[in-house]
């Protein structure tokens, strides 16, 4: 179903004003350049050279030992020359059993040098093109994939709807409090490794249904890590305290936080549209959800937690929503679903509006905590105009681009020099990258993810191979 059929910004603006409350645009190119070029202080350590970020987009292209491989290097070399002053390094597992797939990055004692060399290359390229790296920040996202770990899943609690989507048996025992305590030390060990590699900023990944994210919604879990909000944030508090004790203020701590889970969706076979799995109210699960209507957000607990995170030492927050495994339209509004998945159950601009509404409410509640906004890719060439408006209105401090960077890694250069993007290079949210991420029938157990339509020479042949493998399974 085609939704994005606008001929110009005026048409999109009219539709946005008719359908949404928060999707608005700055039309003037010079003002777009000025707003996206704003410097952003992050804590006392650094001032970013502009207001643009590359989101942590996983390439699923490490070798089997977790080392950055050829495509990993290529991706970050392109980002380094792309002009964004916040390059959010993708999810990197702190333990082998915490990887989401066989080719997710994983840092350990045996490959610290590989990460050091890649970081040095990023800095070298960026400095050669832009003259300095003093205004560049590269947080590395530390993660444990929890329920989505490969090959053995670890759950924080049982949510029967998510269990059904992930084929998790009711008999599976959630990770114990004792195991979580040990995992806190694994995060500290991961922080020590990335420090050794040269990184001076880490991100605790608390989004997309992975372990730390699932803990945030573990209201029905018993013990020290479930139930009350204080318990559900215990793991994060403890890890931050351990990292602060080890590094003081020398290690900047950031967080990508999922702020609204909603509920799992499925494909309606008659209409192909997404529909929520049947749920009861009050809904006893999830994070940032209204228990009386879990299809809508309630940010009361989210705000309380962010206040704590800031008190504990978080200096930068990346706002995310939804889970790509069970409600992808919420986090990644799209034109075309990946093969076999559901069509958008709402107009994509409504999903964009949800992103802007939530991030705007949070940024205004915490004006001293710079936040990175998400949900822009579906707007295509007009993402810049929306981002500039949100920055001017104080609804976000930093414009983040995710899928769009795979097709257009130097979007920030064009944003600052021209105030407009090139139509021929902009992501059309056709979800080929997600399709590749979901394909496991590969000699290494995972196909690498990229942009086949706009990076054809590299990912075109990979897409062809993945499709052939996918269809041979049917």
């Amino acid at each position: 179903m085609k939704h994005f059929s606008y001929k110009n910004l005026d048409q999109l603006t009219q539709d946005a004003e008719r359908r949404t409350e928060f999707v608005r645009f700055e039309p003037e190119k010079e003002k777009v350049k000025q707003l996206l070029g704003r410097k952003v202080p992050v804590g006392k350590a650094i001032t970013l050279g502009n207001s643009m970020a590359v989101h942590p987009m996983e390439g699923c292209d490490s070798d089997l030992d977790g080392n950055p491989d050829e495509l990993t290097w290529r991706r970050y070399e392109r980002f380094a020359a792309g002009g964004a002053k916040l390059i959010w390094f993708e999810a990197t597992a702190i333990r082998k059993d915490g990887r989401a797939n066989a080719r997710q990055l994983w840092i350990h004692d045996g490959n610290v040098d590989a990460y050091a060399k890649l970081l040095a290359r990023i800095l070298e390229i960026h400095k050669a093109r832009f003259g300095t790296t003093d205004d560049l920040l590269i947080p590395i996202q530390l993660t444990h994939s929890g329920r989505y770990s490969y090959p053995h899943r670890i759950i924080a609690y049982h949510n029967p709807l998510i269990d059904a989507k992930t084929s998790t048996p009711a008999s599976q025992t959630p990770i114990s409090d004792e195991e979580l305590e040990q995992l806190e030390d694994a995060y500290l060990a991961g922080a020590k490794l990335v420090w050794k590699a040269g990184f001076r900023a880490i991100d605790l990944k608390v989004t997309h249904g992975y372990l730390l994210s699932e803990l945030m919604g573990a209201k029905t879990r018993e013990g020290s890590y479930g139930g009350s909000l204080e318990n559900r944030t215990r793991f994060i508090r403890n890890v931050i305290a351990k990292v602060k004790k080890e590094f003081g203020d020398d290690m900047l701590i950031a967080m990508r936080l999922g702020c609204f889970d909603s509920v799992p969706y499925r494909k309606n076979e008659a209409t192909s549209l997404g529909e929520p799995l049947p749920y009861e109210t009050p809904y006893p699960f999830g994070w940032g959800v209204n228990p009386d209507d879990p299809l809508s957000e309630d940010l009361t607990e989210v705000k309380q937690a962010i206040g704590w995170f800031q008190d504990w030492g978080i200096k930068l927050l990346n706002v995310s929503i939804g889970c790509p495994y069970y409600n992808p339209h919420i986090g990644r509004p799209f034109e075309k679903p990946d093969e076999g998945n559901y069509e958008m159950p709402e107009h994509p601009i409504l999903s964009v509006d949800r992103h802007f509404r939530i991030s705007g409410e949070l940024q205004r509640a915490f004006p001293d905590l710079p936040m990175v906004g998400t949900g822009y890719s579906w707007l295509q060439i007009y993402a810049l105009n929306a981002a500039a408006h949100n920055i001017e209105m104080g609804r976000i401090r930093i414009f983040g681009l995710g899928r769009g960077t795979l097709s257009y890694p130097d979007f920030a250069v064009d944003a600052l020099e021209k105030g407009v993007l090139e139509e021929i290079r902009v992501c059309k949210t056709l979800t080929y990258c997600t399709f590749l991420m979901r394909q496991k029938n590969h000699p290494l157990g995972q196909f690498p993810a990229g942009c086949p339509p706009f990076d054809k020479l590299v990912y075109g042949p990979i897409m062809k191979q993945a499709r052939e493998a996918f269809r041979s399974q049917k």
Side-chain angles (χ1 to χ4, degrees), residues 142-158:
L142 301 183
T143 189
H144 188 292
S145 298
R147 185 181 290 267
Y148 301 100
S149 294
Y150 166 87
H152 303 296
R153 294 176 174 174
I154 296 171
I155 63 171
Y157 74 104
H158 281 287

Side-chain angles (χ1 to χ4, degrees), residues 265-268 271-276 329 342-345:
Y265 276 64
R266 66 187 176 191
K267 182 179 180 179
N268 182 305
T271 66
S272 294
L273 298 176
E275 62 181 12
H329 73 283
Y342 62 76
E343 297 276 357
M344 287 289 300

Side-chain angles (χ1 to χ4, degrees), residues 90-107:
E90 69 193 82
T92 304
I94 46 90
R95 290 197 329 202
K96 185 175 183 178
D97 64 357
R99 301 167 89 182
N101 60 73
R103 299 182 70 184
Q104 185 175 43
L105 295 174
W106 159 43
I107 191 167

Side-chain angles (χ1 to χ4, degrees), residues 431-471:
T431 326
Y432 294 122
C433 53
T434 303
F435 173 78
L436 287 171
M437 290 182 74
R438 299 287 178 261
Q439 301 314 305
K440 313 300 181 184
N441 192 13
H442 182 277
L444 297 181
Q446 171 67 52
F447 276 91
C451 185
F454 296 102
D455 199 359
K456 292 180 181 179
L457 290 179
V458 172
Y459 289 96
I462 293 172
M463 186 67 180
K464 181 179 179 181
Q465 182 185 3
R467 276 181 166 161
E468 290 172 353
F470 175 76
R471 289 163 183 166

Side-chain angles (χ1 to χ4, degrees), residues 336-467:
K336 178 180 177 293
D338 54 300
E339 289 192 46
N341 216 331
Y342 62 76
E343 297 276 357
M344 287 289 300
E346 60 186 3
H347 194 289
I349 205 168
L350 299 178
S351 300
V352 176
D353 191 59
R354 185 185 295 112
H355 270 285
F356 292 0
R357 180 176 70 241
I358 290 174
S359 62
E361 183 174 340
L362 295 175
Q363 181 68 90
R364 286 183 164 177
F366 299 93
D368 297 330
L369 179 63
M371 298 186 188
V372 184
T374 307
Y376 289 89
S377 287
W378 183 80
L379 296 172
Q380 298 185 27
I381 61 171
Y382 307 115
L384 298 187
N385 306 88
H389 177 80
N390 285 340
I391 289 171
E392 183 175 41
M393 298 300 293
R395 293 188 182 133
I396 208 67
R397 297 293 299 283
I398 302 166
F399 157 48
L401 198 62
R403 293 167 290 174
T405 64
L406 300 179
S407 64
Y408 206 152
D410 52 345
F411 76 96
V413 169
D414 280 355
L416 295 176
E417 292 181 354
K418 306 173 186 176
V420 66
L421 298 177
E422 295 181 22
E423 172 72 35
I424 197 170
R425 301 185 62 201
V426 171
C427 171
K428 303 302 188 291
T429 65
L430 302 177
T431 326
Y432 294 122
C433 53
T434 303
F435 173 78
L436 287 171
M437 290 182 74
R438 299 287 178 261
Q439 301 314 305
K440 313 300 181 184
N441 192 13
H442 182 277
L444 297 181
Q446 171 67 52
F447 276 91
C451 185
F454 296 102
D455 199 359
K456 292 180 181 179
L457 290 179
V458 172
Y459 289 96
I462 293 172
M463 186 67 180
K464 181 179 179 181
Q465 182 185 3
R467 276 181 166 161

Side-chain angles (χ1 to χ4, degrees), residues 230-231 233-242 309 312:
E230 181 180 9
N231 282 353
T233 56
R234 184 182 304 277
F235 189 99
I236 293 169
R237 182 184 69 219
N238 290 349
V239 170
I240 292 173
K242 291 177 180 182
F309 298 154
W312 298 340

